[in-house]
Structures are given as structure tokens and as C-alpha cells.
Amino acid sequence: MAGSRVRWRWLALPGAALALWAVAHTGRTPAPDAAPRPSATQDATPSASPDSGATTARPDGAYEPVDCAAAVRKYAAAAGVRPQLLMAILHNEAYKPHDPALERAWQRYKPDAAFGVANMHRAAFDEVKRGRDFAARKWEELPDDRNLAVEAAAWYLHDLDRQLPAHWPAGHSRDELLALGYNAGAGNMLAFARGIAPGTQAQSYLDRLHTNWAAAKRDIAR
């Protein structure tokens, strides 16, 4: 969920991580604990109805946040959060490639890395899944299951929202504070609500949220 890095930094992945990614793609050595990709990735058109929560796969395996529009509508409604906010966060978190093999290769190099299209860390996922329909799911499944990643992000925003006070002195809107909480954690979100100015990283995340806001609105309408 640390979304302040820009996409180009992933071009500088260490050689070891890139080698792991190449091995996973060539199939010469199976990646340990790697779950198979969902069958939907083989078809550009999902068989489920548009509002079923199914993501739209691309033939080349590439990813764009709009692919998750149906899932965003479904899980935002279930969690009681604004779908435009959830979609804008997916745009913010699309700064790195969301290829399952590459995510796992990077995680081997950096064990505390985040997983899935919403870039969720293990501790956050394990906390947010408690008592929810996906309580039996594992963090390691996030790279392969975009719907699960979107569902977890929606409920994480729900939980952050419940921690906000009824009123706050800062000039940030509810959506802005929730986005800041998604990026920087609940404690920092509450500090920003009290009037503490966001730091450079948090402000960059907020600026990109504003940049992505219109695109998020278009995406959820598709």
C-alpha cells in the first residue's frame, strides 16, 4: 500500500528478482507455493454478468485498473464505501506491474513487499479478513485473485472509515482521509484528521488520488 513509488522504479529490479521472474515464466523451475492463475486469464471476456465481481482479463496478461470495475462496484457496495474512491486507489496502486510471477519474485527479494492489485501487506490482510466471508483465504493468494484483492481493499477502507471521528478540524474530505489511511495507516490518518500536515510521501499519494479521480469515475461507469 505504499504507493509513493513510481512505475519506472520497477525497471530497476535487482537481477536476482528478474531471474526468478524469468524462471517462473519459462516453466523450467516451478515457483514454490505459486497458485495457478485463474482460468479467466485465458479469455478476454468474462462469462459472468457485468456486476458479478468478475474481473476482465486481457489476452496478453497486462493489467489496468478498469479491468476490476465490476469487482469494485460489487465489493464497494458490500463494504459501504464509495466505488470511485476504491477505483482511484487501484489507480494509485498501479505504479508497479501486477504480474503474479513478478510479484512473487520481488517478494523473495523483499519479504515485506505488498501483494495484489491493491498492494496489501500481509498484516493488513490478516487483520481485515477476520470475521469476513474471505476469512479462510490467504495473503499469498492475492497476486492470482484480483477479486480477492479488491474485496480486501474495500473492507480495509470500511474499517478505516469506522475509526474516523464524527468531525475533524483538518480541511481534508472523508475520501481524502481514507486514501491517506490506506497509504499511511490508521494512526497517521487520525493525525491528519487532527490537522497534522501529511508528509511528502502521503501528500504525493493524495496528489495522485486527485489526478486519478476523474479516470476512476469513468472506469466504474463502464
Side-chain angles (χ1 to χ4, degrees):
M1 289 182 293
S4 63
R5 299 185 182 89
V6 292
R7 187 189 301 265
W8 65 264
R9 292 190 181 181
W10 280 82
L11 298 177
L13 280 173
L18 283 175
L20 285 169
W21 173 74
V23 166
H25 270 72
T26 59
R28 285 179 293 208
T29 304
D33 302 324
R37 294 194 185 191
S39 58
T41 59
Q42 304 302 317
D43 191 340
T45 305
S47 57
S49 62
D51 291 315
S52 68
T55 53
T56 301
R58 296 171 184 261
D60 59 0
Y63 162 75
E64 293 294 340
V66 69
D67 300 342
C68 298
V72 166
R73 290 190 295 267
K74 175 180 178 179
Y75 296 118
V81 299
R82 190 172 181 177
Q84 187 175 358
L85 171 63
L86 181 55
M87 179 62 80
I89 284 175
L90 292 186
H91 275 275
N92 270 31
E93 301 296 344
Y95 65 89
K96 72 178 185 181
H98 286 297
D99 175 90
L102 182 54
E103 285 198 18
R104 287 191 170 88
W106 179 248
Q107 194 266 345
R108 293 185 186 101
Y109 171 76
K110 188 178 179 183
D112 64 343
F115 264 177
V117 294
N119 286 334
M120 185 165 283
H121 290 282
R122 185 192 298 272
F125 180 79
D126 287 345
E127 178 181 347
V128 78
K129 75 176 186 177
R130 293 174 187 167
R132 302 256 155 78
D133 291 343
F134 56 100
R137 304 294 297 274
K138 296 181 179 180
W139 174 76
E140 289 83 358
E141 299 176 64
L142 289 177
D144 302 290
D145 192 336
R146 294 174 183 173
N147 289 345
L148 176 62
V150 174
E151 183 177 16
W155 284 105
Y156 187 72
L157 289 170
H158 167 92
D159 292 348
L160 288 171
D161 188 48
R162 291 179 63 112
Q163 297 180 58
L164 282 175
H167 306 283
W168 52 85
H172 297 300
S173 70
R174 179 176 297 274
D175 287 335
E176 288 174 332
L177 286 173
L178 292 177
L180 287 168
Y182 192 92
N183 175 247
N188 284 316
M189 176 188 72
L190 295 175
F192 300 146
R194 291 193 300 270
I196 302 298
T200 302
Q201 176 175 315
Q203 186 60 53
S204 174
Y205 195 84
L206 190 57
D207 291 343
R208 287 190 291 114
L209 185 86
H210 293 155
T211 299
N212 291 324
W213 197 247
K217 183 177 181 179
R218 289 194 301 269
D219 288 351
I220 60 174
R222 295 179 64 172

